[in-house]
Amino acid sequence: MLDVLIFAVLPYFAIALAIFVTPYRYFSNRLDWSTFSTQFLERRSLYWGSIPWHYGVVLILAGHIIGFLFPSTIQSLLSDLSALIALESIALGLGLMTLFGSIILLVRRFSGVVRAVTSYADWVLLLLILLQAATGVYMGLFVRWGMEWYLHTAVPWLYSLLTLNPQIGFVSGLPLVFKLHVAGAFLILAVLPFTKLVHFLFLPLDYLKDPPILYRWVRREKQLGK
Ligand code: HEM
């Protein structure tokens, strides 16, 4: 029953929410579609949380997607033991970066001014992101070799979802931590349109090269009569 819920019901529910709520949010209140200025709130812990989290999660997700799109190419690559060990080690490093970043981002939310602008949905999302990184790293460490078995279990199950014929037999025998990881992934998708993370849909790639926007107070100059 739990397997049906996680592997057949939750994915479609989450996709439907993402498809219908996201455009509604975009057209109903466009000004709300962003994170707040980092300089007005708090910058130091944001830096230590945001940088490792963003670089970690983007590369890890790219790895998940490449495995999904090109399973046979990745399979032949991983048949070389040294390649398998090297790629697993890189993934573990990135996973640890993501985990570290998500802990800092969550702790930062407890500080006064940041807490004041955090909605319930943002709290839920941050907890889910932390759970996602923690279950991923746990698998990387204790359910060896995830990159390999992912190709023969999760990938065919994900394809079966796409063809509207969920074959949960591919994944129902996997350990509980994997089920939590998958449930976490689709819960993130479900709450995403209600949170600040929705800003990622703008693909803010320019942020990687642009300097941060700096705001300057002008009050002091006015007082000095300038
Ligand atoms: C249905 C969707 C997903 C599936 C089937 C899945 C599956 C997996 C598997 C099998 C691993 C272990 C890889 C290994 O041992 O090297 C893993 C690791 C990981 N996943 Fe996912 N994942 C999904 C979605 C996500 C999402 C949405 C995120 C982030 C928001 C995420 C973040 C991670 C992280 C951080 C790791 C740790 C990498 C490592 O330490 O090796 N996953 N995932």
Side-chain angles (χ1 to χ4, degrees):
M1 182 61 196
L2 186 68
D3 287 347
V4 175
L5 204 66
I6 293 177
F7 296 123
V9 179
L10 180 62
Y12 292 119
F13 174 71
I15 292 167
L17 269 183
I19 289 177
F20 292 111
V21 179
T22 309
Y24 171 77
R25 167 128 182 238
Y26 185 74
F27 290 112
S28 62
N29 187 359
R30 189 90 55 94
L31 290 176
D32 187 39
W33 181 287
S34 174
T35 51
F36 292 110
S37 159
T38 51
Q39 196 183 3
F40 284 140
L41 299 172
E42 178 286 328
R43 276 201 297 172
R44 187 178 294 238
S45 61
L46 179 69
Y47 175 84
W48 288 104
S50 180
I51 300 287
W53 187 76
H54 278 89
Y55 282 102
V57 84
V58 166
L59 293 173
I60 285 282
L61 284 179
H64 283 53
I65 293 169
I66 291 171
F68 172 73
L69 292 178
F70 310 103
S72 36
T73 315
I74 302 299
Q75 177 58 63
S76 44
L77 184 68
L78 296 181
S79 58
D80 176 357
L81 186 62
S82 10
L84 174 67
I85 294 174
L87 287 172
E88 282 277 0
S89 313
I90 293 171
L92 186 59
L94 292 169
L96 287 169
M97 256 169 75
T98 315
L99 182 60
F100 172 79
S102 41
I103 293 171
I104 303 282
L105 289 178
L106 184 66
V107 170
R108 171 179 178 269
R109 289 271 147 197
F110 286 97
S111 76
V113 65
V114 186
R115 189 180 198 153
V117 295
T118 306
S119 68
Y120 286 120
D122 293 329
W123 283 113
V124 172
L125 182 76
L126 275 164
L127 282 171
L128 285 172
I129 282 173
L130 180 63
L131 174 85
Q132 199 63 14
T135 49
V137 167
Y138 183 93
M139 286 192 288
L141 284 171
F142 303 110
V143 192
R144 288 281 163 88
W145 301 88
M147 279 187 183
E148 176 72 40
W149 55 256
Y150 170 79
L151 299 174
H152 307 288
T153 53
V155 170
W157 161 69
L158 286 167
Y159 275 104
S160 78
L161 279 182
L162 281 185
T163 53
L164 304 182
N165 178 23
Q167 299 288 317
I168 68 171
F170 282 116
V171 277
S172 53
L174 289 171
L176 180 66
V177 62
F178 174 81
K179 296 178 183 178
L180 289 174
H181 192 72
V182 168
F186 286 105
L187 286 173
I188 289 174
L189 185 64
V191 297
L192 200 135
F194 302 96
T195 67
K196 295 179 179 57
L197 189 62
V198 77
H199 72 274
F200 95 97
L201 290 173
F202 268 142
L203 285 185
L205 296 178
D206 285 348
Y207 285 0
L208 293 176
K209 61 175 175 50
D210 287 354
I213 297 171
L214 283 182
Y215 294 93
R216 302 262 181 241
W217 300 111
V218 288
R219 203 180 312 128
R220 203 169 123 75
E221 279 79 359
K222 273 195 185 147
Q223 277 168 359
L224 293 172
K226 286 185 183 167

